[in-house]
Amino acid sequence: MALKLTVIGTGYLGATHAAAMAELGFEVLGLDIDPAKIETLSAGRVPMYEPGLEDLLRRHVAGLPDSSGRLRFTTSWEEVAAFGDIHFVCVNTPQKHGEYACDMSYVDSAFELLAPHLKQPALVVGKSTVPVGSAARLAARLAELAPAGDRAELAWNPEFLREGFAVEDTLHPDRIVVGVASEHAEKLLREVYATPVGEGTPFVVADYPTAELVKTAANAFLATKISFINAMAEVSEAAGGDVVKLAEAIGHDERIGKKFLRAGIGFGGGCLPKDIRAFMARAGELGADQALTFLREVDSINMRRRAHMVELAREACGGSGFLGKRIAVLGAAFKPDSDDVRDSPALNVAGQIHLQGGQVTVYDPKAMENARRLFPTLGYAASALEAVRGADVVLHLTEWQEFRELDPAELGAVARGRHVIDGRNALVPQGWREAGWTFRAMGRPHA
Ligand code: UDX
C-alpha cells in the first residue's frame, strides 16, 4: 500500500513539501497549530508569495475543483498520528532573542505533541535546520514518549530549498540527504523520494550528525562565498577596480564557479544570517568554536555592506546628511521573487536612512504588505515611478526583473536629482548614464 505522509508545520518549507509530496502521488495531511493558516491552505491559498506554489497546492487540495484530493490540512495531532506512516517535521527554528543560538522550542513542542499519539510504528523525519546533536536527543525523546516505543523511529532529512524556487527545488532537488539509524528508515525514505532519485537526484545516506551538519555547512559555505566577493568589492572600490568584472573572471575557473558571486548589499533572509550564527553558537558548545571564528568575519563583512550603502547614499545627497532629502528605495524583499522581508538588507538600509532623518519611499513588487508591517513609519509608493517622483537619490536594493526594465529617461523626468546607486550590481550603468544619471554601484569604478 502507498505510504501516507503528514507534514507538521505549514510555513514556507512545510506548505511546499506537503504540496510537492501530493504531486509525487502520496496522500498527505498537513498540520499547523495556527487555525487561520489551515483555513487559508484548505481554500487553496498560500499565505506568502512563492512562484508556482499556489498552482501546485490547488492541484491537490481536497474539495477544490479538478484537484487530485490527495492533500488535506488539520490542527489535530491525534488525526495526524493516526493517518501517517511518515511524519515530516517542518517547523521553523528562528534565532533566539538576544542570542546567536537557535530557538528549538517549535521543534521540541512538535515532538512533545506528536509522540504521545504514536501508537503504531512510524517514521518521524526532521526537516528543520537544527543544531548538530538535536536528532540524537529527539530520537531518544520520541522512543520515550511514544506508546509505540522504539518502533517510533527518527530520521533527519535536511531541506535546501531556496525561496523563489521552492517548488522547483522540492520537486527536483540537487541532492537528497538522509540521516538514518536503520536500514528500514532508509528504505522508507527511498520510497518517498523514488521519483526524484529515478530522475538522477543523488541520494546521500549518512548518520544523524552528518546529515544535520550538511545543511549548516552548505549555508555557511554560501554565506562565505557572498562575503568573499563583498570583501573583494571593498578592495576593488579602494583600488579603483571593478568587482563585477573580477567575479566574472574568477568564475571561469570551474573550481570557483560563477554562482553566488554577486557583490552588493549582502545576504539576508530567514536562513543564512541566523544559520551561520547558530552554527557558531553550537560549535562553541561543542568546544570547536575556533573552527568557525571565520564565520564571525563573514557576518561582519555582510553587515558592513548595509552601513556602506547608507554612506554611499549620504554622499549622493551631498555629504552633509539626510535631513530634507528624499530617498527612493527600489526593493524591500531580501531577494527577488519573494515577499519575505526577514532580515532584509534593503529594508535595513531604508530604515537606517529614515532614522537619520531622510524621507524614504519604498516600492517592492510583492513585499509591500510585509514591509509596511515591519517598518510602518517608512513611506510607501504604488510603483517604482511613484517612489522616484521627487527623489534626490534612488537606491536599487533588491534585484527584481521589473527594476532592470525601468526606463531611466522616464524616471529622470520625475526625479528631483538624478543619482542612482545600484546595491545589487544588476542594472546596466550605460543606459542610466546616457539618460543623465550619476550611476554608482558597490565595488565598481565611480564614473
Ligand atoms: C538559502 C540557501 O540558498 C538554501 O539552500 C537554504 O535552504 C536556505 O537559505 P534563501 O534564503 O532562499 O536560501 O536565499 P538565497 O538565494 O541563498 O539568497 C540569500 C541571500 O543572499 C539573499 O539576500 C541574496 O540577495 C543574497 N545573495 C545571493 C547575494 O548577495 N549575492 C549572491 O551572489 C547570491
Side-chain angles (χ1 to χ4, degrees):
M1 236 183 47
L3 293 168
K4 287 184 168 176
L5 314 183
T6 84
V7 174
I8 293 161
T10 58
Y12 229 101
L13 167 58
T16 312
H17 189 66
M21 291 301 111
E23 175 78 5
L24 293 182
F26 297 101
E27 296 277 331
V28 184
L29 182 60
L31 174 140
D32 205 285
I33 52 170
D34 178 358
K37 222 180 243 177
I38 291 304
E39 204 174 303
T40 306
L41 291 165
S42 299
R45 289 196 313 273
V46 177
M48 61 265 180
Y49 175 72
E50 179 61 40
L53 182 55
E54 197 154 284
D55 286 347
L56 189 70
L57 191 78
R58 279 175 189 273
R59 273 216 293 281
H60 300 293
V61 170
L64 296 183
D66 302 323
S67 87
S68 72
R70 289 197 289 268
L71 177 56
R72 290 185 302 113
F73 294 95
T74 181
T75 53
S76 160
W77 292 94
E78 223 171 333
E79 194 184 343
V80 157
F83 177 89
D85 303 300
I86 303 185
H87 306 279
F88 288 97
V89 177
C90 297
V91 296
N92 64 339
T93 48
Q95 188 176 337
K96 263 191 196 162
H97 195 67
E99 282 179 49
Y100 267 16
C102 157
D103 176 357
M104 284 291 286
S105 59
Y106 300 113
V107 174
D108 288 341
S109 111
F111 276 79
E112 299 289 320
L113 291 166
L114 173 70
H117 297 290
L118 294 175
K119 302 188 179 100
Q120 306 299 325
L123 183 66
V124 179
V125 183
K127 287 191 84 65
S128 312
T129 301
V130 295
V132 58
S134 304
R137 176 175 66 77
L138 291 164
R141 189 72 185 134
L142 187 62
E144 188 182 310
L145 289 175
D150 58 11
R151 289 177 312 148
E153 212 193 316
L154 185 78
W156 214 264
N157 169 217
E159 178 58 56
F160 305 98
L161 70 80
R162 296 162 300 167
E163 295 188 15
F165 299 90
V167 171
E168 171 70 16
D169 286 353
T170 309
L171 287 172
H172 309 287
D174 287 343
R175 76 294 210 187
I176 294 162
V177 178
V178 298
V180 292
S182 75
E183 278 178 18
H184 171 69
E186 179 186 335
K187 185 179 151 282
L188 286 178
L189 286 166
R190 281 192 185 275
E191 211 173 316
V192 169
Y193 293 116
T195 306
V197 172
E199 288 167 2
T201 299
F203 189 84
V204 182
V205 182
D207 53 25
Y208 289 156
T210 309
E212 291 167 309
L213 279 171
V214 168
K215 171 65 194 231
T216 24
N219 275 357
F221 190 86
L222 294 173
T224 304
K225 215 171 170 191
I226 299 170
S227 277
F228 173 82
I229 202 64
N230 280 330
M232 294 305 110
E234 285 186 19
V235 180
S236 297
E237 217 165 291
D242 182 345
V243 75
V244 175
K245 209 29 108 196
L246 181 148
E248 182 196 328
I250 62 172
H252 286 303
D253 183 333
E254 276 180 14
R255 295 168 303 174
I256 296 174
K258 286 190 187 328
K259 291 182 181 161
F260 259 65
L261 284 181
R262 201 170 2 84
I265 53 171
F267 59 83
C271 291
L272 298 191
K274 66 115 178 150
D275 285 354
I276 59 168
R277 292 172 194 154
F279 200 16
M280 284 185 266
R282 185 61 185 140
E285 287 168 7
L286 293 169
D289 43 340
Q290 255 192 335
L292 298 187
T293 43
F294 76 96
L295 286 180
R296 222 177 286 159
E297 202 51 46
V298 165
D299 202 1
S300 56
I301 291 170
N302 190 53
M303 297 312 279
R304 235 171 23 232
R305 304 307 287 163
R306 303 173 183 193
H308 185 51
M309 186 46 148
V310 174
E311 285 320 305
L312 291 181
R314 194 194 316 280
E315 271 175 42
C317 284
S320 57
F322 291 112
L323 276 179
K325 299 292 182 184
R326 290 198 197 169
I327 320 294
V329 167
L330 302 183
F334 84 102
K335 65 189 273 190
D337 295 314
S338 167
D339 64 357
D340 196 341
V341 296
R342 284 177 296 171
D343 201 358
S344 164
L347 270 189
N348 181 298
V349 167
Q352 287 192 52
I353 294 175
H354 168 71
L355 290 174
Q356 292 178 35
Q359 284 181 42
V360 179
T361 306
V362 179
Y363 167 71
D364 187 283
K366 295 287 176 197
M368 297 291 273
E369 229 176 276
N370 289 341
R372 213 179 253 127
R373 215 172 295 135
L374 202 64
F375 281 95
T377 51
L378 294 176
Y380 292 92
S383 66
L385 191 71
E386 286 315 307
V388 170
R389 193 178 296 282
D392 296 292
V393 175
V394 177
L395 309 183
H396 174 248
L397 302 186
T398 313
E399 68 277 32
W400 287 91
Q401 175 70 24
E402 180 178 327
F403 299 149
R404 287 196 288 283
E405 289 166 359
L406 289 170
D407 176 359
E410 194 186 348
L411 295 185
V414 299
R416 193 159 75 180
R418 292 186 189 175
H419 304 289
V420 62
I421 308 175
D422 185 1
R424 292 296 186 179
N425 278 315
L427 302 177
V428 182
Q430 200 188 350
W432 291 82
R433 288 186 177 133
E434 279 170 10
W437 291 78
T438 66
F439 184 97
R440 268 200 95 165
M442 302 183 94
R444 304 192 83 177
H446 186 171

PDB file of all heavy atoms in Angstrom, residues 49-68:
ATOM      1  N   TYR A  49       4.173  34.914  -1.021  1.00  0.00           N
ATOM      2  CA  TYR A  49       4.372  34.906  -2.459  1.00  0.00           C
ATOM      3  C   TYR A  49       5.486  33.934  -2.800  1.00  0.00           C
ATOM      4  O   TYR A  49       6.620  34.110  -2.372  1.00  0.00           O
ATOM      5  CB  TYR A  49       4.727  36.314  -2.959  1.00  0.00           C
ATOM      6  CG  TYR A  49       5.064  36.319  -4.428  1.00  0.00           C
ATOM      7  CD1 TYR A  49       4.074  36.139  -5.383  1.00  0.00           C
ATOM      8  CD2 TYR A  49       6.378  36.449  -4.861  1.00  0.00           C
ATOM      9  CE1 TYR A  49       4.372  36.095  -6.729  1.00  0.00           C
ATOM     10  CE2 TYR A  49       6.694  36.405  -6.205  1.00  0.00           C
ATOM     11  CZ  TYR A  49       5.690  36.232  -7.133  1.00  0.00           C
ATOM     12  OH  TYR A  49       5.989  36.182  -8.461  1.00  0.00           O
ATOM     13  N   GLU A  50       5.153  32.911  -3.532  1.00  0.00           N
ATOM     14  CA  GLU A  50       6.166  31.946  -3.959  1.00  0.00           C
ATOM     15  C   GLU A  50       5.725  31.422  -5.329  1.00  0.00           C
ATOM     16  O   GLU A  50       4.692  30.757  -5.434  1.00  0.00           O
ATOM     17  CB  GLU A  50       6.266  30.807  -2.946  1.00  0.00           C
ATOM     18  CG  GLU A  50       7.285  29.732  -3.310  1.00  0.00           C
ATOM     19  CD  GLU A  50       8.728  30.257  -3.419  1.00  0.00           C
ATOM     20  OE1 GLU A  50       9.127  31.091  -2.602  1.00  0.00           O
ATOM     21  OE2 GLU A  50       9.432  29.836  -4.351  1.00  0.00           O
ATOM     22  N   PRO A  51       6.504  31.743  -6.380  1.00  0.00           N
ATOM     23  CA  PRO A  51       6.078  31.382  -7.729  1.00  0.00           C
ATOM     24  C   PRO A  51       5.721  29.892  -7.856  1.00  0.00           C
ATOM     25  O   PRO A  51       6.500  29.027  -7.462  1.00  0.00           O
ATOM     26  CB  PRO A  51       7.300  31.735  -8.589  1.00  0.00           C
ATOM     27  CG  PRO A  51       8.026  32.776  -7.799  1.00  0.00           C
ATOM     28  CD  PRO A  51       7.776  32.471  -6.359  1.00  0.00           C
ATOM     29  N   GLY A  52       4.536  29.620  -8.384  1.00  0.00           N
ATOM     30  CA  GLY A  52       4.136  28.242  -8.690  1.00  0.00           C
ATOM     31  C   GLY A  52       3.544  27.468  -7.527  1.00  0.00           C
ATOM     32  O   GLY A  52       2.930  26.417  -7.725  1.00  0.00           O
ATOM     33  N   LEU A  53       3.689  27.974  -6.302  1.00  0.00           N
ATOM     34  CA  LEU A  53       3.243  27.176  -5.156  1.00  0.00           C
ATOM     35  C   LEU A  53       1.714  27.098  -5.058  1.00  0.00           C
ATOM     36  O   LEU A  53       1.154  26.029  -4.787  1.00  0.00           O
ATOM     37  CB  LEU A  53       3.844  27.728  -3.853  1.00  0.00           C
ATOM     38  CG  LEU A  53       3.488  26.955  -2.586  1.00  0.00           C
ATOM     39  CD1 LEU A  53       3.834  25.474  -2.696  1.00  0.00           C
ATOM     40  CD2 LEU A  53       4.202  27.555  -1.368  1.00  0.00           C
ATOM     41  N   GLU A  54       1.062  28.217  -5.322  1.00  0.00           N
ATOM     42  CA  GLU A  54      -0.398  28.191  -5.206  1.00  0.00           C
ATOM     43  C   GLU A  54      -1.020  27.247  -6.249  1.00  0.00           C
ATOM     44  O   GLU A  54      -1.932  26.486  -5.941  1.00  0.00           O
ATOM     45  CB  GLU A  54      -0.963  29.606  -5.323  1.00  0.00           C
ATOM     46  CG  GLU A  54      -2.387  29.687  -4.814  1.00  0.00           C
ATOM     47  CD  GLU A  54      -2.755  31.077  -4.315  1.00  0.00           C
ATOM     48  OE1 GLU A  54      -2.322  31.447  -3.209  1.00  0.00           O
ATOM     49  OE2 GLU A  54      -3.464  31.781  -5.046  1.00  0.00           O
ATOM     50  N   ASP A  55      -0.478  27.255  -7.448  1.00  0.00           N
ATOM     51  CA  ASP A  55      -0.981  26.345  -8.500  1.00  0.00           C
ATOM     52  C   ASP A  55      -0.806  24.901  -8.078  1.00  0.00           C
ATOM     53  O   ASP A  55      -1.711  24.071  -8.250  1.00  0.00           O
ATOM     54  CB  ASP A  55      -0.204  26.547  -9.810  1.00  0.00           C
ATOM     55  CG  ASP A  55      -0.600  27.818 -10.503  1.00  0.00           C
ATOM     56  OD1 ASP A  55      -1.635  28.394 -10.098  1.00  0.00           O
ATOM     57  OD2 ASP A  55       0.133  28.258 -11.416  1.00  0.00           O
ATOM     58  N   LEU A  56       0.361  24.604  -7.539  1.00  0.00           N
ATOM     59  CA  LEU A  56       0.655  23.228  -7.120  1.00  0.00           C
ATOM     60  C   LEU A  56      -0.315  22.799  -6.015  1.00  0.00           C
ATOM     61  O   LEU A  56      -0.865  21.692  -6.047  1.00  0.00           O
ATOM     62  CB  LEU A  56       2.097  23.161  -6.600  1.00  0.00           C
ATOM     63  CG  LEU A  56       2.641  21.764  -6.315  1.00  0.00           C
ATOM     64  CD1 LEU A  56       2.848  20.988  -7.611  1.00  0.00           C
ATOM     65  CD2 LEU A  56       3.988  21.843  -5.575  1.00  0.00           C
ATOM     66  N   LEU A  57      -0.536  23.701  -5.071  1.00  0.00           N
ATOM     67  CA  LEU A  57      -1.436  23.418  -3.961  1.00  0.00           C
ATOM     68  C   LEU A  57      -2.852  23.156  -4.477  1.00  0.00           C
ATOM     69  O   LEU A  57      -3.500  22.165  -4.114  1.00  0.00           O
ATOM     70  CB  LEU A  57      -1.416  24.620  -3.013  1.00  0.00           C
ATOM     71  CG  LEU A  57      -2.068  24.458  -1.669  1.00  0.00           C
ATOM     72  CD1 LEU A  57      -1.131  23.672  -0.758  1.00  0.00           C
ATOM     73  CD2 LEU A  57      -2.336  25.826  -1.029  1.00  0.00           C
ATOM     74  N   ARG A  58      -3.312  24.039  -5.352  1.00  0.00           N
ATOM     75  CA  ARG A  58      -4.678  23.922  -5.876  1.00  0.00           C
ATOM     76  C   ARG A  58      -4.896  22.620  -6.642  1.00  0.00           C
ATOM     77  O   ARG A  58      -6.001  22.117  -6.721  1.00  0.00           O
ATOM     78  CB  ARG A  58      -4.991  25.096  -6.824  1.00  0.00           C
ATOM     79  CG  ARG A  58      -5.374  26.343  -6.084  1.00  0.00           C
ATOM     80  CD  ARG A  58      -5.554  27.496  -7.057  1.00  0.00           C
ATOM     81  NE  ARG A  58      -5.707  28.727  -6.310  1.00  0.00           N
ATOM     82  CZ  ARG A  58      -6.865  29.176  -5.851  1.00  0.00           C
ATOM     83  NH1 ARG A  58      -7.984  28.515  -6.103  1.00  0.00           N
ATOM     84  NH2 ARG A  58      -6.923  30.279  -5.163  1.00  0.00           N
ATOM     85  N   ARG A  59      -3.831  22.124  -7.228  1.00  0.00           N
ATOM     86  CA  ARG A  59      -3.957  20.864  -7.979  1.00  0.00           C
ATOM     87  C   ARG A  59      -4.275  19.697  -7.061  1.00  0.00           C
ATOM     88  O   ARG A  59      -4.736  18.664  -7.521  1.00  0.00           O
ATOM     89  CB  ARG A  59      -2.644  20.554  -8.715  1.00  0.00           C
ATOM     90  CG  ARG A  59      -2.553  21.177 -10.064  1.00  0.00           C
ATOM     91  CD  ARG A  59      -1.824  20.287 -11.066  1.00  0.00           C
ATOM     92  NE  ARG A  59      -0.414  20.098 -10.770  1.00  0.00           N
ATOM     93  CZ  ARG A  59       0.521  20.984 -11.046  1.00  0.00           C
ATOM     94  NH1 ARG A  59       0.201  22.134 -11.611  1.00  0.00           N
ATOM     95  NH2 ARG A  59       1.774  20.748 -10.757  1.00  0.00           N
ATOM     96  N   HIS A  60      -4.024  19.852  -5.744  1.00  0.00           N
ATOM     97  CA  HIS A  60      -4.142  18.684  -4.870  1.00  0.00           C
ATOM     98  C   HIS A  60      -5.047  18.840  -3.659  1.00  0.00           C
ATOM     99  O   HIS A  60      -5.443  17.844  -3.060  1.00  0.00           O
ATOM    100  CB  HIS A  60      -2.745  18.244  -4.426  1.00  0.00           C
ATOM    101  CG  HIS A  60      -1.881  17.872  -5.585  1.00  0.00           C
ATOM    102  ND1 HIS A  60      -2.140  16.766  -6.370  1.00  0.00           N
ATOM    103  CD2 HIS A  60      -0.808  18.486  -6.136  1.00  0.00           C
ATOM    104  CE1 HIS A  60      -1.248  16.712  -7.344  1.00  0.00           C
ATOM    105  NE2 HIS A  60      -0.437  17.744  -7.225  1.00  0.00           N
ATOM    106  N   VAL A  61      -5.385  20.066  -3.251  1.00  0.00           N
ATOM    107  CA  VAL A  61      -6.178  20.230  -2.024  1.00  0.00           C
ATOM    108  C   VAL A  61      -7.580  19.643  -2.208  1.00  0.00           C
ATOM    109  O   VAL A  61      -8.281  19.977  -3.170  1.00  0.00           O
ATOM    110  CB  VAL A  61      -6.261  21.718  -1.623  1.00  0.00           C
ATOM    111  CG1 VAL A  61      -7.269  21.919  -0.495  1.00  0.00           C
ATOM    112  CG2 VAL A  61      -4.900  22.210  -1.176  1.00  0.00           C
ATOM    113  N   ALA A  62      -7.953  18.768  -1.289  1.00  0.00           N
ATOM    114  CA  ALA A  62      -9.254  18.086  -1.360  1.00  0.00           C
ATOM    115  C   ALA A  62     -10.373  19.117  -1.360  1.00  0.00           C
ATOM    116  O   ALA A  62     -10.320  20.118  -0.641  1.00  0.00           O
ATOM    117  CB  ALA A  62      -9.393  17.143  -0.170  1.00  0.00           C
ATOM    118  N   GLY A  63     -11.377  18.875  -2.209  1.00  0.00           N
ATOM    119  CA  GLY A  63     -12.561  19.732  -2.211  1.00  0.00           C
ATOM    120  C   GLY A  63     -12.490  20.858  -3.222  1.00  0.00           C
ATOM    121  O   GLY A  63     -13.488  21.527  -3.484  1.00  0.00           O
ATOM    122  N   LEU A  64     -11.308  21.077  -3.838  1.00  0.00           N
ATOM    123  CA  LEU A  64     -11.227  22.139  -4.851  1.00  0.00           C
ATOM    124  C   LEU A  64     -11.517  21.533  -6.222  1.00  0.00           C
ATOM    125  O   LEU A  64     -11.205  20.370  -6.467  1.00  0.00           O
ATOM    126  CB  LEU A  64      -9.840  22.783  -4.853  1.00  0.00           C
ATOM    127  CG  LEU A  64      -9.433  23.521  -3.591  1.00  0.00           C
ATOM    128  CD1 LEU A  64      -8.056  24.164  -3.775  1.00  0.00           C
ATOM    129  CD2 LEU A  64     -10.457  24.587  -3.217  1.00  0.00           C
ATOM    130  N   PRO A  65     -12.092  22.329  -7.133  1.00  0.00           N
ATOM    131  CA  PRO A  65     -12.435  21.795  -8.450  1.00  0.00           C
ATOM    132  C   PRO A  65     -11.201  21.214  -9.161  1.00  0.00           C
ATOM    133  O   PRO A  65     -10.134  21.826  -9.128  1.00  0.00           O
ATOM    134  CB  PRO A  65     -12.974  23.022  -9.208  1.00  0.00           C
ATOM    135  CG  PRO A  65     -13.046  24.140  -8.238  1.00  0.00           C
ATOM    136  CD  PRO A  65     -12.454  23.721  -6.946  1.00  0.00           C
ATOM    137  N   ASP A  66     -11.383  20.053  -9.761  1.00  0.00           N
ATOM    138  CA  ASP A  66     -10.333  19.377 -10.545  1.00  0.00           C
ATOM    139  C   ASP A  66      -9.080  19.019  -9.754  1.00  0.00           C
ATOM    140  O   ASP A  66      -8.013  18.814 -10.338  1.00  0.00           O
ATOM    141  CB  ASP A  66      -9.897  20.234 -11.756  1.00  0.00           C
ATOM    142  CG  ASP A  66     -11.064  20.549 -12.658  1.00  0.00           C
ATOM    143  OD1 ASP A  66     -11.927  19.649 -12.803  1.00  0.00           O
ATOM    144  OD2 ASP A  66     -11.120  21.674 -13.174  1.00  0.00           O
ATOM    145  N   SER A  67      -9.174  18.969  -8.435  1.00  0.00           N
ATOM    146  CA  SER A  67      -7.962  18.618  -7.683  1.00  0.00           C
ATOM    147  C   SER A  67      -7.870  17.101  -7.525  1.00  0.00           C
ATOM    148  O   SER A  67      -8.865  16.389  -7.656  1.00  0.00           O
ATOM    149  CB  SER A  67      -7.974  19.273  -6.302  1.00  0.00           C
ATOM    150  OG  SER A  67      -8.646  18.444  -5.379  1.00  0.00           O
ATOM    151  N   SER A  68      -6.657  16.637  -7.222  1.00  0.00           N
ATOM    152  CA  SER A  68      -6.472  15.193  -7.016  1.00  0.00           C
ATOM    153  C   SER A  68      -7.097  14.767  -5.687  1.00  0.00           C
ATOM    154  O   SER A  68      -7.322  13.580  -5.452  1.00  0.00           O
ATOM    155  CB  SER A  68      -4.973  14.868  -6.977  1.00  0.00           C
ATOM    156  OG  SER A  68      -4.408  15.346  -5.759  1.00  0.00           O
TER     157      SER A  68
END
